[in-house]
């Protein structure tokens, strides 16, 4: 357990990769916030594609982009750190450039651009976590990962807000946003590359020699990866599930969807680091991750109760319960990646993070389809299923119980020189010899 008594901003920035890397994260998040929420709108309004074709191309880009993760993991295990982060940003520059150059009506070019954006978006989390794990150690690493997530959410929120303001300009404004996004990715890549963080191959070789086997595989972590697929659903609850429930079932004002999204962003930015540091002082990472599942399951049951209130009170009740869901998301995000970095040996850290990102990307890809498939069957089908699956996942990742073995009674030693009743004279002879 860490003994840190307060959060020191300078130490936190240093543990997160340094000031230049922090600026790179902020610029990258700002660019992502400018474009990601409106990529579908760009395909429909600027490129004049159908909504179904645009959505299918974006989904295909995300799913196919997951195929790059094994290669990213092997690259990280060779010692690369800031180079992989910069490469993930440069791939998105290529995607944005292809997006801007796509003529109207060309769905395949749009799909290719979405593929490059998907590759960059999938590769970045693993590369960033590996870089932080190289710079920071112990519980300081948990705080640094939490700080990176808070900073990224702040950049995403500001970027989305700026993009919303610029939407009044029509298609020309969307094209300008795409160009600005590409420039932001390019600047962030240059800053990330200039950090020059790389793992020491000698240190990795020492770990390999100690564990045995130069090419030993990464830990499978089957229970953790399977549970993570379910946990990740919480990230799409504010963006997919709640707007769907509020508008289609409760017939509430769309303003409540905006309130939920803004509240989620503000809470993550302000509470991610303090909550992560507070829990890391008191509990193990597995215990915190299991606690996150319990909190998320409780929020899902809260949504089930809130939707039963009907049109009048349903909207405010859902917004109130979303605070509990966001707290569960904060606890989950502050422990899951940190647990992977703690479980994986240094020489296979990249492959372990790549597998974890595969489970995260898969969960993010299938969760909208699962949510939209369960929602028409009523709130019990949606929220009850999510609560049950999350509780099972929490049980799978919880630390194993320690079984107390009965202690053996202390053996009574015979006094020296005393004659044994079964062998007369034996004890006396032993006493003389000793």
């Amino acid at each position: 357990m860490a003994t840190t008594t307060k959060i020191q901003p300078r130490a936190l920035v240093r543990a997160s990769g340094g000031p230049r890397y922090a600026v790179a994260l902020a610029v990258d998040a700002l660019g992502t916030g400018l474009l990601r929420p409106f990529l579908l709108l760009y395909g429909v309004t600027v490129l004049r594609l159908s909504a179904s074709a645009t959505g299918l191309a974006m989904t295909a880009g995300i799913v196919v982009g997951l195929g790059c993760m094994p290669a990213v993991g092997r690259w990280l295990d060779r010692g690369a750190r800031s180079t992989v982060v910069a490469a993930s940003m440069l791939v998105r520059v290529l995607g944005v450039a292809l997006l801007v150059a796509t003529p109207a009506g060309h769905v395949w070019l749009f799909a290719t651009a979405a593929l490059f954006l998907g590759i960059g978006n999938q590769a970045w989390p693993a590369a960033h976590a590996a870089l932080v794990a190289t710079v920071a150690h112990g519980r300081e690493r948990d705080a640094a990962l939490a700080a990176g997530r808070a900073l990224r959410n702040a950049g995403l929120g500001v970027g989305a807000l700026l993009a919303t303001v610029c939407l009044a300009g029509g298609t020309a404004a969307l094209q300008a946003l795409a160009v600005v996004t590409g420039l932001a990715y390019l600047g962030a890549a240059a800053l990330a590359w200039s950090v020059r963080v790389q793992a020491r191959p000698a240190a990795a070789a020492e770990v390999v020699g100690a564990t045995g086997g130069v090419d030993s595989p990464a830990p499978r972590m089957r229970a953790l990866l399977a549970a993570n697929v379910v946990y990740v659903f919480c990230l799409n609850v504010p963006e997919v599930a709640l707007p769907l429930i509020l508008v289609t079932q409760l017939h509430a004002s769309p303003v409540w969807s905006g309130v939920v999204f803004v509240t989620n962003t503000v809470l993550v930015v302000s509470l991610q680091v303090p909550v992560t540091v507070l829990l890391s002082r008191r509990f193990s990472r597995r215990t915190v991750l299991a606690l996150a599942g319990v909190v998320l399951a409780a929020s899902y049951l809260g949504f089930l109760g809130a939707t039963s209130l009907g049109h009048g009170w349903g909207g405010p009740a859902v917004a109130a319960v979303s605070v509990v869901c966001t707290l569960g998301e904060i606890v989950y995000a502050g422990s899951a990646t940190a647990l992977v970095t703690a479980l994986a040996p240094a020489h296979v850290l990249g492959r372990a993070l790549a597998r974890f990102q595969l489970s995260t990307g898969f969960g993010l890809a299938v969760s909208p389809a699962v949510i939209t498939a369960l929602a028409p069957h009523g709130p019990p089908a949606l929220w009850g299923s999510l609560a049950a699956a999350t509780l099972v996942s929490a049980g799978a990742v919880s630390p194993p119980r320690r079984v107390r073995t009965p202690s053996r009674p202390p053996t009574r030693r015979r006094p020296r020189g005393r004659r044994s009743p079964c062998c007369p004279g034996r004890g006396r002879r032993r006493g003389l010899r000793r």
Side-chain angles (χ1 to χ4, degrees):
M1 294 293 178
T3 58
T4 306
T5 57
K6 62 180 181 179
I7 302 172
Q8 299 179 354
R10 290 185 178 180
L12 196 58
V13 171
R14 185 169 57 253
S16 303
R20 279 182 297 172
Y21 187 70
V23 174
L25 292 186
V27 174
D28 177 77
L30 182 65
T32 303
L34 286 172
L35 183 63
R36 191 178 71 175
F38 305 102
L39 187 58
L40 177 66
L41 191 60
Y42 187 95
V44 173
T45 59
V46 178
L47 302 182
R48 299 176 185 176
L49 302 174
S50 64
S52 59
T54 305
L56 182 61
M58 292 173 59
T59 302
I62 296 174
V63 174
V64 177
L66 289 173
C68 74
M69 292 312 301
V72 171
R74 289 191 294 270
W75 192 7
L76 290 170
D77 285 338
R78 293 190 184 102
R81 292 294 185 266
S82 57
T83 305
V84 185
V85 176
S88 69
M89 298 173 179
L90 287 175
V91 169
R92 283 179 283 181
V93 173
L94 182 59
V96 173
L98 189 58
L99 183 67
V100 174
T102 300
H106 287 67
V107 65
W108 288 109
L109 287 177
F110 176 78
T112 306
L115 171 62
F116 285 121
L117 291 171
I119 291 174
N121 290 331
Q122 298 300 331
W124 180 86
H128 166 70
L131 186 146
V132 173
T134 304
V135 176
H137 304 281
R139 291 297 185 173
E140 187 182 51
R141 178 188 299 172
D142 299 34
L145 289 171
R149 184 172 188 265
L151 180 61
R152 185 165 180 80
N153 274 266
L156 289 173
V158 173
L161 181 62
L162 293 175
T164 303
V165 174
C166 294
L167 280 180
T171 58
L174 284 175
Q175 290 175 322
L177 284 176
V179 173
V180 173
T181 300
L183 295 175
Y185 286 152
L186 185 61
L191 285 171
W193 181 80
S194 68
V195 174
R196 304 288 182 90
V197 175
Q198 187 173 0
R200 292 186 301 168
E206 291 175 3
V207 176
V208 173
T211 56
V214 177
D215 214 5
S216 57
R220 294 185 177 182
M221 305 179 297
R222 292 178 178 176
L224 176 59
L225 297 181
N228 185 57
V229 174
V230 179
Y231 270 92
V232 163
F233 275 58
C234 72
L235 302 180
N236 274 331
V237 165
E239 298 182 10
V240 179
L242 296 186
L244 181 65
I245 297 300
L246 286 169
V247 175
T248 63
Q249 295 185 5
L250 296 179
H251 305 288
S253 171
V255 174
W256 288 112
S257 300
V259 169
V260 168
F261 181 79
V262 172
T263 303
N264 176 272
T265 303
V266 172
L267 289 177
V268 170
V269 172
S270 58
L271 297 180
Q272 184 67 72
V273 175
V275 170
T276 301
V277 173
L278 179 65
L279 293 177
S280 68
R281 296 174 187 166
R282 291 168 171 81
F283 306 104
S284 68
R285 296 180 181 92
R286 282 190 177 274
T287 301
V288 174
L289 187 56
L291 175 63
V294 174
V295 176
L296 288 172
S299 70
Y300 296 153
L301 295 178
F303 288 132
L304 177 59
T307 53
S308 64
L309 297 178
H311 174 68
W313 292 96
V318 167
V321 178
S322 69
V323 175
V324 181
C325 184
T326 300
L327 291 177
E329 174 190 337
I330 290 171
V331 177
Y332 154 69
S335 57
T337 305
L339 177 60
V340 175
T341 60
L343 291 176
H347 65 287
V348 291
L349 177 61
R351 279 171 281 177
L353 288 171
R355 288 180 178 178
F356 183 74
Q357 181 58 30
L358 275 172
S359 69
T360 301
F362 179 76
L364 289 175
V366 303
S367 56
V370 173
I371 290 173
T372 53
L374 291 175
H377 298 284
L382 174 61
W383 301 116
S385 300
L386 288 180
T390 307
L391 282 177
V392 171
S393 301
V397 301
S398 60
R401 295 182 179 179
R402 296 181 180 179
V403 180
R404 294 185 178 180
T405 57
S407 58
R408 297 178 60 183
T411 57
R412 299 180 62 182
R413 300 180 63 180
R414 295 171 183 166
R416 297 182 181 182
R418 180 174 297 181
R419 183 175 297 180
S420 175
C422 59
C423 301
R426 185 176 177 182
R428 183 180 299 174
R429 288 195 298 270
R430 284 187 176 179
L432 293 174
R433 282 198 300 267
R434 291 180 183 177

